[in-house]
Amino acid sequence: MDSHVDASTGNEVLLQLRDIVRTYEMGSELVHALCGISLDICRNEYVAVMGPSGSGKSTLMNIIGCLDIPTSGDYSLAGEKVADKNESELADIRNRLIGFVFQTFNLLPRANILHNVELPLIYGGIARAERRHRAEQALERVGLKDRLTHRPNELSGGQCQRVAIARALVRNPSIILADEPTGNLDSKTGDDIMGMLDDLHAGGQTVILVTHEDDVAAHAQRVLCLRDGQVESDVMNVDESVLRNARAG
Amino acid sequence: MRLLLDTGESFRIAVGAVMANKARGALTMLGIIIGIVAVTMTLAASNGMQQSFRQAAGSIGADVIYVSRMPWITINDFFTFRNRPNISLQEADKLVEAFAGVAVVNPTMSGRQPLKYRSQVLQDVTIVGTSEKMPIISGQVPEDGRFLLAFDVRFRKNVAIIGKDVADNLFPSADPINKTISIGRYRYRVIGVMEKQGGNTFGGPNLDMQVFIPITSFVKSFGGRRNTNVDVAVKAGSIAAMENLEYEIIGEMRRIRQLRPAEDDNFSINKLDSLMGAFNSVFGAVLGIGLLVTSIALIVGGIGVMNIMFVSVTERTREIGIRKAIGARRRSILMQFLFESTLICVLGGLLGIGLSMLLTLAVNAAGAFTASLSLGIMLSAVFVSALVGIIAGLVPAYKGANFAPIDALRYE
Ligand SMILES: Nc1ncnc2c1ncn2[C@@H]1O[C@H](COP(=O)(O)OP(=O)(O)OP(=O)(O)O)[C@@H](O)[C@H]1O
Ligand SMILES: [Mg+2]
């Protein structure tokens, strides 16, 4: 693997975005969702993406997660250019390298939660016995081992999001992408979810999350602010106090 | 491995999808059921007719070669055969001699004559002049009395074996054996009654309206100079032996008739095979038209399935997005919907086959004509319904498989 190394920290660069532009065509009008984003994210970083509504946070996450293709610009993931990949290679990347956690959970309503968590393993070609074992383990990690046969509509929002996290982590991907994971949850449940993301980060995963809330962003090491499709600020908050100061100031 | 798991998951989803929309699935299936019933019943009816034909043609014998003046099947070259000489009894006798000890050879002649017993008259009965070897060729045997003996033939006995229907018509109450009947102007003694043959379902000759007499007596009674035309049957003993025997017969006939090498045969070789071939080609055309018409019903059913599949794909847009986001390939989504449409159609097909079985029983009980639903027809019906499912599902499945993941995820 052609891995890059960050000049200042010496860490491996996992994501490299250069001049990423994403425009949507709305009839005759062009909507510029992202207008030239360049940034590097290293392995095991914990990044919070903030910014006003419509600033392009979700668009950026979708491009990072290979769900969407930029209109122009270069994006390399783990040293490989995403633009060179075909559809099934992209599916494979999403399956192996990326775990998604969505604001609206996006579980399959008709399948029980065990099956929901097994799904990435099925598409990854993991045999039945191991698949089941790993899915149960993942559900145990999020504290839902006793709910395997329940369907999503029999669970609370917080529990649904925990299933989604189990699904995201079950293949042990390099990157966890969470777009407003606490957006639909009360603050207590949100704290639980953030605790789990913290654990994933502590376990070596790269976590990128979108949030509107400062105390959620405070979990991250690095805060990226977008405005009108551009990076407005990109600060490290190694120290909790930096963020608190920024908030105060 | 991955493909296998993908397939398993796709199948699971398909079953789930059909189960989740039972009423809709059942309505869609109805179209396929009707289509499959129409097609299988056409096939069953044709199969039944073919079987009756085979049965009727059974007395011809599959391993028997007939030497005749005319081919059985003349399409449009009747005039080239018109000037052929009749096959004479002398020529037939030479054939009998030539193949003595090698094959059973039986000459026959036939003509129509009125039949009379006391005041009972039967018009237009087929009188067959034949030899004692006929039962070996055709398998027809008397149920009562006896058949001809070599003795009867050699001494031109005026004895007759009558068909079952002849017996029933001429002797409604009496025992026909040893009664004297008039064939044309000649008196014959009834020595046997043939077994019922049946199998004249579709206007073929009624084998039960025949009367058998010694061929020598036939010539004596009815053989004018014009109509002494003999058909010679040669039994090969096995299908495998037929080809060689045919060449030998042709050679022998040419020798008997002293044909020069440049001359064409002025006789014909006929076999059940060639009759079946002609029947099959006519029958095939009729069947083809029938299938063309009934398959329209199936196509309409297939369009119904395609329609439902478009609905299903649209309903599941968001699900497609979720699956793609966690690594489903285009192929997995494609299979998921192809399985769904195929499942609907195969279930419909199976129900259609069940219905066709009942209909076949009903048709046969009613006795209008015989329908016969073979295993081959049923398997083809399953195959065809699966094919309809795949074709009907292809376009909707492609549509679903090609959704951009992000658009599908955002779909409400
Ligand atoms: N499919 C689309 N078609 C057209 N325009 C789009 C589409 N998706 C996003 N946009 C536009 O792109 C811009 C960025 O959208 P995006 O969803 O990335 O914002 P966001 O930062 O996630 O906002 P929010 O905080 O409300 O989720 C917006 O102006 C939006 O209207
Ligand atoms: Mg958003």
Side-chain angles (χ1 to χ4, degrees):
Chain A
M1 196 187 298
D2 168 29
S3 59
H4 301 243
V5 167
D6 188 281
S8 55
T9 61
N11 289 335
E12 181 200 340
V13 175
L14 193 56
L15 309 171
Q16 190 174 59
L17 290 87
R18 291 291 176 270
D19 302 317
I20 295 291
V21 173
R22 180 68 168 100
T23 44
Y24 291 104
E25 257 176 81
M26 297 293 285
S28 56
E29 232 176 293
L30 282 183
V31 179
H32 299 276
L34 296 177
C35 339
I37 300 250
S38 297
L39 65 100
D40 289 354
I41 293 176
C42 292
R43 190 174 286 282
N44 199 23
E45 266 197 282
Y46 196 165
V47 184
V49 181
M50 301 189 74
S53 186
S55 57
K57 304 182 294 295
S58 295
T59 306
L60 178 65
M61 292 291 269
N62 292 335
I63 286 173
I64 290 176
C66 299
L67 283 175
D68 196 9
I69 306 291
T71 311
S72 70
D74 285 327
Y75 169 36
S76 299
L77 175 59
E80 291 187 66
K81 275 203 190 332
V82 170
D84 298 340
K85 306 289 180 191
N86 66 26
E87 212 264 353
S88 80
E89 287 167 330
L90 288 179
D92 210 47
I93 289 175
R94 290 194 292 267
N95 185 252
R96 272 187 306 114
L97 299 182
I98 294 161
F100 289 98
V101 179
F102 301 94
Q103 180 177 359
T104 52
F105 321 136
N106 276 341
L107 301 175
L108 295 184
R110 270 197 287 265
N112 65 33
I113 67 170
L114 180 66
H115 190 73
N116 264 291
V117 176
E118 272 185 299
L119 223 47
L121 301 172
I122 291 172
Y123 290 126
I126 311 290
R128 189 187 187 87
E130 190 190 345
R131 188 167 86 208
R132 193 179 164 110
H133 173 69
R134 278 166 67 172
E136 280 177 9
Q137 248 182 355
L139 280 164
E140 189 167 16
R141 260 178 92 173
V142 299
L144 286 172
K145 196 180 180 345
D146 50 344
R147 299 293 180 98
L148 301 183
T149 58
H150 288 228
R151 291 188 178 201
N153 62 4
E154 298 160 353
L155 300 180
S156 72
Q159 285 169 326
C160 282
Q161 198 59 300
R162 284 196 269 162
V163 175
I165 288 177
R167 183 180 67 187
L169 65 82
V170 73
R171 281 222 76 188
N172 199 20
S174 316
I175 307 161
I176 301 285
L177 297 177
D179 194 345
E180 301 191 41
T182 60
N184 279 8
L185 306 174
D186 62 61
S187 61
K188 166 75 183 63
T189 321
D191 283 347
D192 287 350
I193 296 298
M194 286 315 297
M196 287 175 192
L197 291 180
D198 290 348
D199 289 346
L200 289 175
H201 171 246
Q205 257 134 348
T206 312
V207 179
I208 306 172
L209 71 94
V210 170
T211 185
H212 286 285
E213 296 156 69
D214 290 340
D215 49 342
V216 170
H219 288 258
Q221 303 164 322
R222 177 179 170 188
V223 178
L224 196 70
C225 264
L226 299 188
R227 184 176 293 276
D228 299 333
Q230 285 176 313
V231 179
E232 188 190 45
S233 70
D234 183 356
V235 295
M236 305 298 280
N237 56 336
V238 202
D239 189 344
E240 183 86 3
S241 61
V242 177
L243 193 80
R244 225 175 288 127
N245 291 346
R247 231 183 295 158
Chain B
M1 187 65 204
R2 176 163 173 165
L3 181 67
L4 212 69
L5 287 171
D6 259 19
T7 310
E9 172 69 8
S10 301
F11 188 72
R12 239 192 72 121
I13 303 164
V15 173
V18 175
M19 295 312 279
N21 289 298
K22 286 196 195 75
R24 194 170 81 186
L27 280 178
T28 317
M29 258 175 231
L30 200 59
I32 297 295
I33 293 173
I34 292 169
I36 286 290
V37 166
V39 172
T40 43
M41 284 315 288
T42 307
L43 287 170
S46 89
N47 196 30
M49 283 182 205
Q50 219 157 355
Q51 281 179 5
S52 329
F53 176 82
R54 250 176 244 278
Q55 202 183 352
S59 62
I60 294 171
D63 64 340
V64 179
I65 294 168
Y66 288 81
V67 187
S68 321
R69 175 175 173 239
M70 293 290 194
W72 286 343
I73 318 291
T74 49
I75 307 297
N76 48 19
D77 40 7
F78 175 77
F79 290 101
T80 55
F81 302 120
R82 204 172 51 163
N83 294 325
R84 284 181 169 181
N86 281 334
I87 295 177
S88 67
L89 198 53
Q90 287 73 22
E91 287 171 332
D93 284 341
K94 284 179 186 163
L95 269 184
V96 173
E97 261 167 56
F99 288 96
V102 177
V104 177
V105 181
N106 180 49
T108 56
M109 294 172 81
S110 63
R112 286 175 176 268
Q113 296 289 339
L115 226 59
K116 206 173 137 211
Y117 174 69
R118 291 188 181 156
S119 59
Q120 291 274 24
V121 179
L122 273 182
Q123 291 296 336
D124 263 356
V125 178
T126 305
I127 312 300
V128 181
T130 186
S131 83
E132 74 283 359
K133 290 171 188 139
M134 196 207 78
I136 304 171
I137 304 280
S138 69
Q140 293 167 267
V141 288
E143 66 168 18
D144 219 355
R146 62 169 177 89
F147 200 72
L148 299 172
L149 300 174
F151 171 86
D152 300 317
V153 180
R154 178 150 3 121
F155 296 103
R156 302 180 190 185
K157 292 291 179 192
N158 278 15
V159 290
I161 299 93
I162 59 179
K164 186 68 180 158
D165 288 354
V166 175
D168 290 346
N169 279 304
L170 229 41
F171 304 95
S173 51
D175 176 11
I177 305 293
N178 281 328
K179 299 284 187 316
T180 300
I181 56 172
S182 300
I183 305 178
R185 293 185 289 113
Y186 302 91
R187 298 167 69 75
Y188 279 77
R189 184 167 57 92
V190 177
I191 56 168
V193 177
M194 296 301 280
E195 273 180 355
K196 178 118 186 124
Q197 302 299 315
N200 62 321
T201 356
F202 54 111
N206 184 351
L207 299 174
D208 296 308
M209 275 303 249
Q210 292 178 316
V211 171
F212 302 96
I213 61 175
I215 187 164
T216 46
S217 317
F218 186 95
V219 173
K220 182 182 71 184
S221 302
F222 313 108
R225 214 165 288 121
R226 284 260 195 80
N227 53 2
T228 53
N229 182 31
V230 183
D231 284 298
V232 185
V234 186
K235 189 177 170 67
S238 73
I239 305 281
M242 283 181 83
E243 199 176 341
N244 276 336
L245 186 63
E246 182 175 339
Y247 286 123
E248 284 172 34
I249 293 169
I250 292 172
E252 197 54 45
M253 261 314 271
R254 290 183 67 94
R255 210 164 10 253
I256 291 167
R257 289 197 156 171
Q258 298 175 329
L259 296 179
R260 272 170 285 135
E263 282 179 290
D264 285 337
D265 294 345
N266 55 3
F267 54 91
S268 287
I269 299 290
N270 291 307
K271 287 170 292 184
L272 176 60
D273 215 32
S274 45
L275 191 62
M276 289 305 278
F279 170 80
N280 284 343
S281 64
V282 172
F283 200 73
V286 175
L287 177 62
I289 292 166
L291 282 182
L292 206 70
V293 173
T294 47
S295 58
I296 291 173
L298 198 56
I299 290 170
V300 171
I303 291 171
V305 174
M306 187 184 284
N307 204 19
I308 283 301
M309 289 313 297
F310 274 120
V311 174
S312 180
V313 166
T314 307
E315 275 178 354
R316 299 172 147 243
T317 303
R318 200 180 165 85
E319 179 191 317
I320 294 171
I322 296 171
R323 289 180 184 277
K324 285 198 158 191
I326 58 179
R329 296 175 181 205
R330 190 184 285 161
R331 187 188 61 206
S332 318
I333 307 294
L334 193 72
M335 278 200 295
Q336 157 181 355
F337 289 107
L338 280 184
F339 274 137
E340 185 177 335
S341 62
T342 308
L343 195 66
I344 290 175
C345 288
V346 168
L347 283 178
L350 290 175
L351 289 173
I353 290 169
L355 204 58
S356 298
M357 284 169 148
L358 295 178
L359 273 174
T360 303
L361 289 179
V363 162
N364 290 345
F369 61 96
T370 44
S372 163
L373 201 58
S374 70
L375 187 67
I377 293 176
M378 293 193 261
L379 289 178
S380 340
V382 174
F383 176 77
V384 164
S385 47
L387 197 68
V388 169
I390 290 170
I391 293 171
L394 214 51
V395 177
Y398 251 99
K399 182 185 166 198
N402 284 332
F403 280 149
I406 190 61
D407 295 337
L409 264 178
R410 222 181 267 136
Y411 184 86
E412 289 303 329

